Amino acid sequence: MKPTTMKLFQWAGMAIALSAAFSAVAQEALIRKNLGERIPQLQKIDEVNKSPIAGLYEIRVNETEIYYTDAEGNYLVQGNLIDTKQRKNLTEERVDKLTAINFASLPLKDAFTIVRGNGKRKLAVFEDPNCGYCKRFERDLQKVDNITIHMFLYPILSADSSDKSKNIWCAKDKTKAWQDWMVRDKPPASATCDTSAIERNVALGQKFKITGTPTLVFVDGSRVPGAIAAAEVEKHLSTAKN
């Protein structure tokens, strides 16, 4: 191929690429304009992406909320996008990635640590001492061995939750005070100390949009809300990778 001809092909390729880029920008602008005008709540869209389905676009709002729309923003779809061939919930996978927490960045100084067995496996948990589901979870969690648990006191249910959290945090043996209450229903003794860590935990949970307890965070960044059984904890521990 002659140099001149090669250059023509290169220029043609660049032109096509630029045209596609401009087209994509225009498409996104149209979606943002129409949805923003018709649905005021969607005036601030974080991101617009093509979905695996031709003509269907994913829109992300409020950091982690996923919706779908057509190429002109005339229709809005709320729900899960399922890949039936691979049997995957694509919406769920996308939200999991968006809500993942960098385990290494967690301020472990604001948590107390429970170690069982060799402690090789790691787990972080956000819990409210007045959460009934947390108590059920804690009692079942006793079955899980060879684990290090970083417990973040997260009092969000009531003023008494905050009081209990402070008493547990200020106890000479935090782990014993916690398990006495959560597993054996023995209230923590009154105690005082610097409890600013608890305030930071609440702020951290709000940042990560943790709205319920217990919430579990594994080393791969995946989070699991709710009181899952010990067998499920084992399953997540075995699949989570650093």
Side-chain angles (χ1 to χ4, degrees), residues 164-216:
K164 283 190 174 73
S165 294
K166 290 176 181 178
N167 289 336
I168 291 167
W169 181 254
C170 295
K172 290 182 179 179
D173 188 335
K174 296 178 177 63
T175 297
K176 184 177 184 302
W178 172 254
Q179 294 189 339
D180 276 349
W181 169 240
M182 300 299 284
V183 179
R184 293 176 281 276
D185 291 324
K186 180 181 177 181
S190 179
T192 57
C193 68
D194 180 1
T195 58
S196 56
I198 296 174
E199 296 174 10
R200 290 194 293 270
N201 288 349
V202 172
L204 182 69
Q206 291 172 344
K207 174 186 173 182
F208 289 142
K209 296 187 177 181
I210 295 176
T211 57
T213 55
T215 291
L216 290 64

Side-chain angles (χ1 to χ4, degrees), residues 24 27-28 31 47-60 66-71 75 77 79-83 86 89-91 94:
Q27 191 79 69
E28 179 175 337
I31 290 172
E47 192 176 12
V48 177
N49 290 307
K50 287 184 177 181
S51 82
I53 301 175
L56 187 68
Y57 290 77
E58 173 199 287
I59 61 171
R60 178 171 62 85
I66 299 296
Y67 300 91
Y68 301 96
T69 187
D70 64 294
Y75 300 92
V77 180
N80 291 320
L81 184 60
I82 309 295
D83 184 330
Q86 298 187 55
N89 186 326
L90 301 181
T91 306
R94 177 78 165 121

Side-chain angles (χ1 to χ4, degrees), residues 108-174:
L108 301 184
K109 63 182 177 58
D110 290 339
F112 61 90
T113 303
I114 302 169
V115 180
R116 297 199 187 104
N118 61 30
K120 287 185 177 180
R121 302 181 297 176
K122 296 179 181 180
L123 171 68
V125 188
F126 287 75
E127 294 193 61
D128 185 305
N130 281 336
C131 163
Y133 292 107
C134 295
K135 282 199 166 190
R136 187 179 74 185
F137 169 73
E138 280 294 324
R139 290 165 182 171
D140 205 34
L141 191 61
Q142 305 298 307
K143 303 172 187 175
V144 180
D145 199 9
N146 298 326
I147 187 173
T148 295
I149 304 165
H150 300 289
M151 186 62 61
F152 288 84
L153 294 169
Y154 191 55
I156 57 174
L157 295 179
S158 67
D160 184 65
S161 295
S162 181
D163 292 340
K164 283 190 174 73
S165 294
K166 290 176 181 178
N167 289 336
I168 291 167
W169 181 254
C170 295
K172 290 182 179 179
D173 188 335
K174 296 178 177 63

